[in-house]
Amino acid sequence: MTLIREKLTLPANANKLLLHSCCAPCSGEVMEALQASGIDYTIFFYNPNIHPQKEYLIRKEENIRFAKKHNIPFVDADYDTNNWFERAKGMEKEPERGIRCTMCFDMRFERTALYASENGFSVISSSLGISRWKDMKQINGCGERAVAPYPNMVYWDYNWRKKGGSARMIEISKREQFYQQEYCGCIYSLRDTNKHRKSQGRELIKIGVQYYTP
């Protein structure tokens, strides 16, 4: 499949980008689109929501593998699970795309913005919005809040889905045979996804098994 990518330029005349990445499948198209436009960027991997640790490590290693393939700097942030569970208290029963997800995006983007501020990045963005399962308005709102404390920082709310981006994401995932996660990432998403599968008589999720195939 041949898809047309537009020439991208960073906002505010910035010369480099800190890209928060949630996983290799979501960031694959974003990364290749940035490279096609000659944009200098670094991957920031901070996803303390991902559960269990086996799932977290698989997703992280897939992202590292793809970053190395393209010679892209990769920042491996802490697996800060205790902090995430503390913030999630009282939200255990919230639905997907609800306030728990807002908290989760806020937490991850706040850390991204902090790292950006401390390391000379004036623009941040995220691969989260490319997934059709995510609410882009919710994600962009979290990004804007994260950069608000930093007067000279911008959250780039580019729509990575447009002009075939979502289709290209799947194409790259198949080409690279990425690990195919079957739920958003957190323990509550895993719980609810398995509950839905069980109600349909489907097999429960098996961590570390499903991969994209060409």
Side-chain angles (χ1 to χ4, degrees), residues 23 26 38 40 43 47 57 62 68 79 83 93-95 102 114-115 123 127 132 139 154 174 193 196:
C23 61
C26 285
D40 180 10
I43 293 293
N47 300 288
L57 292 173
E62 286 287 82
K68 284 183 176 179
Y79 185 40
N83 192 0
K93 303 294 184 182
E94 291 293 325
T102 299
L114 175 61
Y115 183 91
V123 179
S127 62
R132 63 187 178 91
I139 290 170
V154 176
K174 290 180 178 179
T193 302
H196 178 68

Side-chain angles (χ1 to χ4, degrees), residues 23-205:
C23 61
C26 285
S27 65
E29 161 60 9
V30 179
M31 291 170 68
E32 292 198 354
L34 291 170
Q35 285 196 291
S37 292
I39 292 175
D40 180 10
Y41 70 99
T42 295
I43 293 293
F44 187 73
F45 193 87
Y46 177 66
N47 300 288
N49 58 305
I50 301 174
H51 180 91
Q53 188 176 39
K54 179 179 179 181
E55 178 80 7
Y56 169 81
L57 292 173
I58 293 171
R59 295 191 191 191
K60 183 176 73 172
E61 289 305 318
E62 286 287 82
N63 212 164
I64 290 173
R65 172 170 68 87
F66 195 63
K68 284 183 176 179
K69 180 176 180 178
H70 290 284
N71 296 313
I72 300 302
F74 187 96
V75 178
D76 184 359
D78 292 339
Y79 185 40
D80 195 9
T81 52
N82 290 339
N83 192 0
W84 188 89
F85 277 108
E86 186 64 30
R87 291 199 187 196
K89 280 184 178 178
M91 305 179 191
E92 294 87 350
K93 303 294 184 182
E94 291 293 325
E96 205 81 10
R97 298 190 180 189
I99 60 171
R100 188 182 65 240
C101 290
T102 299
M103 173 281 296
C104 186
F105 300 148
D106 278 340
M107 180 178 179
R108 290 189 272 174
F109 290 170
E110 285 165 11
R111 181 65 68 85
T112 306
L114 175 61
Y115 183 91
S117 175
E118 293 175 342
N119 291 274
F121 292 88
S122 60
V123 179
I124 68 169
S125 191
S126 176
S127 62
L128 278 163
I130 198 170
S131 170
R132 63 187 178 91
W133 301 109
K134 297 290 189 297
D135 181 338
M136 286 197 68
K137 184 177 179 181
Q138 181 184 37
I139 290 170
N140 290 339
C142 295
E144 293 293 343
R145 279 195 298 278
V147 300
Y150 309 97
N152 298 317
M153 190 178 298
V154 176
Y155 174 76
W156 191 22
D157 61 356
Y158 182 79
N159 184 352
W160 301 104
R161 300 177 195 174
K162 69 180 185 180
K163 295 189 177 180
S166 292
R168 178 68 177 162
M169 175 186 72
I170 299 299
E171 180 187 343
I172 293 171
S173 294
K174 290 180 178 179
R175 184 193 75 206
E176 300 295 327
Q177 295 183 276
F178 285 144
Y179 174 66
Q180 185 179 358
Q181 50 260 30
E182 300 183 85
Y183 61 104
C184 181
C186 79
I187 189 173
Y188 308 116
S189 172
L190 176 60
R191 174 199 65 197
D192 294 343
T193 302
N194 274 333
K195 182 179 180 181
H196 178 68
R197 286 187 170 206
K198 190 174 181 180
S199 72
Q200 295 187 321
R202 296 173 59 196
E203 202 174 47
L204 300 185
I205 291 170

